Each structure stands twice: as structure tokens, then as C-alpha cells.
Amino acid sequence: MRKIAAFIILKCNDELLLLKRFKEPFKGYYVPVGGKLDPNETPLDAAIRETFEETGIRPEHFTYLGTLFEVSPVEYNWLTFVYLAEIPYQPAPECNEGILEWIHKDNLKNKLTPETDLHIYEKAFRLQPFAYSARYDADLNLLELKDELNP
């Protein structure tokens, strides 16, 4: 069964506010805030709700960047809608999902981050749309990443 989610890249100049997750999947990894869509909820509604629930922040404007379609032979199968929100700098708030931290774009590769997300961040900093398809093995090692918009 595929899970549908939305995540939000919170950006201030050259820094991203990322979440070091407490739970699986990707426990200990730095990821954008976000989560699964609730019944009768659009991806943008979920993006707004999840951002507020995890950070207390209500960005005024979201930019839709694209989708990440992930498949694997195990339970990890997702369709994620990705948004960007430019926000003013503020101290990283408390979060019950993990630890929020501002990370400069030059330090992203030095953090434990899903490989797909690094590609998405590159697109986000250029405001370049994408439609990624990712294929994983049973151990969730990335086998293939393809941008359907830029083959």
C-alpha cells in the first residue's frame, strides 16, 4: 500500500530548518517537516497543518516544487508532495518529532540525510520543479533516482 504525504522545506536565505528524526523511517536523519495526509485533506492542507504541528510556524506562502515517488519491495512506498516556504529567521523551535536545526546549504552533505532529499534541496534552492521517481532495494538502499521532468 502506498502512503501519501507532504513535506515542507523551510528556508531562510541559504539555510534550511530541518528535523533530526526521533522515529523510523530515517531515525536520526535530517529531513524536512511533514507527514501523511489525513482523510479529506489536500497536499497543501497537510503541508500547512504539519508545518504548524511540528514547528508552530505558519508560513504565509508555500511554493509547490514537485513530487517524490518512492517504491521498494518492502513497506516503504510513498508519494510525497514537496513544498517550499521562505520564512524569516527565528530560533529553532521545540518539536516532539525530533530536533529542529538550521543547516546551511554548504553543510547539507555533511549531515545524515536521505539521498533523495539532497537532490530535492538542490532543486529547491534554484526553484526548479521536479518529478522524482526513486527505486530502493529491500534494505532501502537507493538503486535509481530519475527526474521525469528532466530525463
Side-chain angles (χ1 to χ4, degrees):
M1 178 189 286
R2 180 146 334 273
K3 297 176 183 102
I4 302 174
F7 76 58
I8 303 86
I9 300 168
L10 297 171
K11 179 180 170 294
C12 178
N13 300 318
D14 288 339
E15 292 188 299
L16 302 179
L17 184 59
L18 298 178
L19 178 70
K20 185 175 181 182
R21 288 182 55 84
F22 287 153
K23 301 185 289 186
E24 295 293 349
F26 293 111
K27 180 179 180 180
Y29 281 64
Y30 287 86
V31 299
V33 296
K36 295 184 279 297
L37 274 67
D38 286 341
N40 200 34
E41 188 174 49
T42 69
L44 181 57
D45 290 341
I48 293 167
R49 176 183 53 77
E50 289 284 351
T51 299
F52 183 73
E53 286 177 2
E54 294 182 13
T55 68
I57 297 169
R58 290 189 195 268
E60 293 181 20
H61 180 72
F62 288 86
T63 301
Y64 174 72
L65 292 176
T67 56
L68 173 61
F69 185 77
E70 297 172 292
V71 297
S72 78
V74 293
E75 293 289 318
Y76 192 81
N77 294 280
W78 291 88
L79 172 60
T80 304
F81 295 83
V82 181
Y83 296 87
L84 174 73
E86 185 78 35
I87 61 172
Y89 180 83
Q90 59 187 284
E94 297 278 322
C95 179
N96 63 359
E97 297 281 330
I99 298 168
L100 288 163
E101 184 179 331
W102 286 103
I103 300 174
H104 192 275
K105 70 178 182 179
D106 294 339
N107 293 329
L108 288 168
K109 290 183 181 177
N110 300 325
K111 298 292 183 178
L112 189 57
T113 304
E115 189 176 343
T116 52
D117 292 9
L118 291 174
H119 293 276
I120 289 170
Y121 301 149
E122 289 176 17
K123 300 278 187 174
F125 278 107
R126 295 192 308 259
L127 289 176
Q128 184 177 4
F130 60 86
Y132 280 124
S133 292
R135 182 175 304 281
Y136 297 89
D137 66 15
D139 296 319
L140 298 183
N141 297 305
L142 184 63
L143 300 174
E144 176 185 29
L145 181 66
K146 182 178 176 184
D147 185 351
E148 305 290 347
L149 294 180
N150 302 293

